[in-house]
Amino acid sequence: MNRSYWLDIATGKIRFGPDRAWVRRELEDHILDRMEAEEARGLTGWEAEKAAVAAMGDPAPLAEELGRLHRPYWGWLWRLSQWALGILLAWAVIAGAGYLRSWWDSPVPADLPTLPEAVEVREISTGTRTSRLLESWEVEGSVDLGNYRFTVPLAYLREITYAGPEDVPAQYELVLCLRASSWRFWEPINRGQYMVLSHEASDSGGVRYGRWEAGLFSQETHRSYFCVTYEDGPFASWFEIFLDLPSEEVPDWVDIPIGYGTECLRVNLKEEVVTP
């Protein structure tokens, strides 16, 4: 009995085609290995094949056992699951590519924090409000807090004056623009302003800053601050923080608590770097 005929009988009871082809390859590899060993002993190719096939035994009982093990419905179920998975992955790739393309092609939102003009004048109900840019910083570095990476791409100081029937003293406002980013799409960034406002900030001069509410604190010991948030695509958010300074003198650094714990980042304006 030659190799091909023996393999036809041994795999003839396997009705699922892919299984039959795979089992046939495995059995043929065994025969070829044994043939190689027989040829190494000095047999001719024909003699080696005959000896190797004989060593494999009667193919008929093997065919019955292989037919029992390789039921066709298991094979078809496995194949259908592969097709379903392939279709699902293809759909995910197409949908994901479309989403990323639309996000990539979409313009940058116009309301993201930017450096204001040197002088901005606006008419209000009680007169004229003038904002003058006094100083700006591009703070280097980043800080990892929780699942987010924070940077401070922009900070600036401005003076705000009012011209009207009432004499209002000049106000000084320090603006810190924090950008939080994360690639953990399964843990979206919390874009709520109370990520910042639920805590009290402080600076190198000992001034403390809290959310402004009537009767919440005394202006003699505290100053107010506020936060506005912006969405910057699916993986980033901005926290624009406004601190009401007691004078035009800028502190060396400001500590901003983040999140629901006690972690904070330090915006060092003197060295223009952000640190934990």
Side-chain angles (χ1 to χ4, degrees), residues 32 34-46 48-49:
L32 293 174
R34 186 173 290 272
M35 285 177 59
E36 185 177 348
E38 296 293 345
E39 289 175 350
R41 294 176 51 231
L43 297 182
T44 65
W46 180 83
E49 180 178 2

Side-chain angles (χ1 to χ4, degrees), residues 18 66 68 95 136 163 171 176 246:
L66 291 175
R68 184 183 66 81
S136 65
Q171 299 175 3
L176 306 176

Side-chain angles (χ1 to χ4, degrees), residues 145-236:
L145 295 180
N147 297 326
Y148 308 145
R149 170 158 293 182
F150 286 89
T151 57
V152 187
L154 178 64
Y156 58 90
L157 173 69
R158 62 183 174 184
E159 177 191 59
I160 301 173
T161 57
Y162 296 89
E166 296 183 2
D167 185 17
V168 179
Q171 299 175 3
Y172 298 94
E173 190 172 62
L174 176 63
V175 182
L176 306 176
C177 301
L178 278 60
R179 187 176 188 270
S181 60
S182 173
W183 287 97
R184 295 171 178 259
F185 59 87
W186 61 93
E187 294 180 359
I189 291 178
N190 187 329
R191 296 186 167 97
Q193 61 181 176
Y194 289 101
M195 284 280 284
V196 173
L197 295 183
S198 290
H199 308 283
E200 186 181 77
S202 60
D203 68 22
S204 58
V207 178
R208 297 156 66 189
Y209 302 85
R211 185 173 75 254
W212 186 90
E213 289 180 13
L216 182 64
F217 54 78
S218 169
Q219 288 286 352
E220 296 178 358
T221 57
H222 287 67
R223 305 292 293 183
S224 65
Y225 79 149
F226 191 67
C227 177
V228 178
T229 62
Y230 303 91
E231 181 178 343
D232 187 8
F235 305 114

Side-chain angles (χ1 to χ4, degrees), residues 89-103:
L89 289 176
W91 176 84
V93 168
I94 294 172
Y99 172 76
L100 290 176
R101 181 176 179 82
S102 63
W103 172 70

